[in-house]
Amino acid sequence: MKKKNSTDLHDLYIKIKKDIKKELSPRRYKHSVETAKLAQALCLKYTVASEKGLVAGIAHDIAREYSDDQLVSIVQEQNLCDSEWGLRHPKVLHGIVGAYIVESRYGIGDPDILDAIRQHVAGAENMGMLAKILFVADFCEPSRKYLEEMHRRELLQQPLDMMLFRVYGEIFAFLEIEKKPIAPISYEIYDKLRRKVAMDEKE
């Protein structure tokens, strides 16, 4: 598949933004726009192509409002996931399904963008820079009212792995309060990040 240049990606951003405005609830649409803006800013900070952040951010929740049955059906029909845990907790599948949708509907073949969308829910082993950025942006974008502005700004000043580590910790705390399940892979990633952050602080 032909690699898309920055102009192509910006055009895709505009197209997807227009489409999801019709498909998603106003709240989810605003969240997607704000996530794209923050992902773009973080990409510029960490020298990742900013257009990739825009596209990944605007598209990351494209399947978030699908029903559990729709998500499971697409995953099984397209053989997208063999995780029994995921199939028992279908909402976590919206990242996997979202990556499939943007690839099939919009012809996006960039592995960085697809991996970022696919991994933004629970994370994954060996996440790339864009995947880490999207994970953080999804949690920290300013329409998320559970973060006080000073705390959000302080969090976003940290090195990327520290940001990711702290975001995981805050997500865990929230899910535990809400009595919602946490994906096993997320615990594994958090533990590895904890060890990495500790080693970085010693250096």
Side-chain angles (χ1 to χ4, degrees), residues 23 38 42 147 155 190 194:
E23 297 173 5
L38 181 53
L42 291 172
L147 283 180
L155 184 58
Y190 180 75
R194 179 183 56 77

PDB file of all heavy atoms in Angstrom, residues 23 38 42 147 155 190 194:
ATOM      1  N   GLU A  23     -21.381  10.407  13.327  1.00  0.00           N
ATOM      2  CA  GLU A  23     -21.515   9.044  13.850  1.00  0.00           C
ATOM      3  C   GLU A  23     -21.461   8.948  15.376  1.00  0.00           C
ATOM      4  O   GLU A  23     -22.067   8.046  15.954  1.00  0.00           O
ATOM      5  CB  GLU A  23     -20.416   8.155  13.253  1.00  0.00           C
ATOM      6  CG  GLU A  23     -20.519   8.011  11.736  1.00  0.00           C
ATOM      7  CD  GLU A  23     -19.327   7.276  11.150  1.00  0.00           C
ATOM      8  OE1 GLU A  23     -18.472   6.801  11.938  1.00  0.00           O
ATOM      9  OE2 GLU A  23     -19.234   7.185   9.912  1.00  0.00           O
ATOM     10  N   LEU A  38      -4.191  17.262  21.421  1.00  0.00           N
ATOM     11  CA  LEU A  38      -3.136  16.991  22.397  1.00  0.00           C
ATOM     12  C   LEU A  38      -2.118  16.005  21.836  1.00  0.00           C
ATOM     13  O   LEU A  38      -0.905  16.162  22.046  1.00  0.00           O
ATOM     14  CB  LEU A  38      -3.735  16.464  23.701  1.00  0.00           C
ATOM     15  CG  LEU A  38      -2.735  16.171  24.824  1.00  0.00           C
ATOM     16  CD1 LEU A  38      -1.839  17.374  25.110  1.00  0.00           C
ATOM     17  CD2 LEU A  38      -3.463  15.730  26.090  1.00  0.00           C
ATOM     18  N   LEU A  42       1.889  16.650  21.555  1.00  0.00           N
ATOM     19  CA  LEU A  42       2.881  15.747  22.125  1.00  0.00           C
ATOM     20  C   LEU A  42       3.799  15.168  21.049  1.00  0.00           C
ATOM     21  O   LEU A  42       4.990  14.943  21.293  1.00  0.00           O
ATOM     22  CB  LEU A  42       2.193  14.624  22.909  1.00  0.00           C
ATOM     23  CG  LEU A  42       1.505  15.056  24.209  1.00  0.00           C
ATOM     24  CD1 LEU A  42       0.690  13.899  24.797  1.00  0.00           C
ATOM     25  CD2 LEU A  42       2.531  15.548  25.228  1.00  0.00           C
ATOM     26  N   LEU A 147      -9.661  15.614  35.715  1.00  0.00           N
ATOM     27  CA  LEU A 147      -8.315  16.101  35.991  1.00  0.00           C
ATOM     28  C   LEU A 147      -8.353  17.610  36.243  1.00  0.00           C
ATOM     29  O   LEU A 147      -8.850  18.362  35.405  1.00  0.00           O
ATOM     30  CB  LEU A 147      -7.390  15.823  34.803  1.00  0.00           C
ATOM     31  CG  LEU A 147      -6.862  14.413  34.593  1.00  0.00           C
ATOM     32  CD1 LEU A 147      -5.969  14.380  33.362  1.00  0.00           C
ATOM     33  CD2 LEU A 147      -6.098  13.922  35.795  1.00  0.00           C
ATOM     34  N   LEU A 155       1.379  16.873  34.930  1.00  0.00           N
ATOM     35  CA  LEU A 155       1.531  15.531  34.380  1.00  0.00           C
ATOM     36  C   LEU A 155       2.143  15.576  32.983  1.00  0.00           C
ATOM     37  O   LEU A 155       3.037  14.788  32.646  1.00  0.00           O
ATOM     38  CB  LEU A 155       0.165  14.841  34.344  1.00  0.00           C
ATOM     39  CG  LEU A 155       0.092  13.380  33.899  1.00  0.00           C
ATOM     40  CD1 LEU A 155       0.952  12.504  34.792  1.00  0.00           C
ATOM     41  CD2 LEU A 155      -1.349  12.898  33.911  1.00  0.00           C
ATOM     42  N   TYR A 190       2.348  -1.857  33.383  1.00  0.00           N
ATOM     43  CA  TYR A 190       2.557  -0.939  34.505  1.00  0.00           C
ATOM     44  C   TYR A 190       3.759  -1.382  35.348  1.00  0.00           C
ATOM     45  O   TYR A 190       4.577  -0.547  35.752  1.00  0.00           O
ATOM     46  CB  TYR A 190       1.297  -0.898  35.367  1.00  0.00           C
ATOM     47  CG  TYR A 190       1.389   0.015  36.567  1.00  0.00           C
ATOM     48  CD1 TYR A 190       1.320   1.399  36.417  1.00  0.00           C
ATOM     49  CD2 TYR A 190       1.532  -0.510  37.852  1.00  0.00           C
ATOM     50  CE1 TYR A 190       1.394   2.239  37.519  1.00  0.00           C
ATOM     51  CE2 TYR A 190       1.619   0.323  38.954  1.00  0.00           C
ATOM     52  CZ  TYR A 190       1.541   1.695  38.787  1.00  0.00           C
ATOM     53  OH  TYR A 190       1.619   2.525  39.880  1.00  0.00           O
ATOM     54  N   ARG A 194       7.139   0.693  35.922  1.00  0.00           N
ATOM     55  CA  ARG A 194       7.584   1.018  37.277  1.00  0.00           C
ATOM     56  C   ARG A 194       9.078   0.742  37.429  1.00  0.00           C
ATOM     57  O   ARG A 194       9.819   1.568  37.975  1.00  0.00           O
ATOM     58  CB  ARG A 194       6.781   0.208  38.300  1.00  0.00           C
ATOM     59  CG  ARG A 194       7.185   0.450  39.745  1.00  0.00           C
ATOM     60  CD  ARG A 194       6.397  -0.425  40.697  1.00  0.00           C
ATOM     61  NE  ARG A 194       6.516  -1.847  40.374  1.00  0.00           N
ATOM     62  CZ  ARG A 194       7.567  -2.579  40.666  1.00  0.00           C
ATOM     63  NH1 ARG A 194       8.621  -2.033  41.289  1.00  0.00           N
ATOM     64  NH2 ARG A 194       7.595  -3.870  40.362  1.00  0.00           N
TER      65      ARG A 194
END
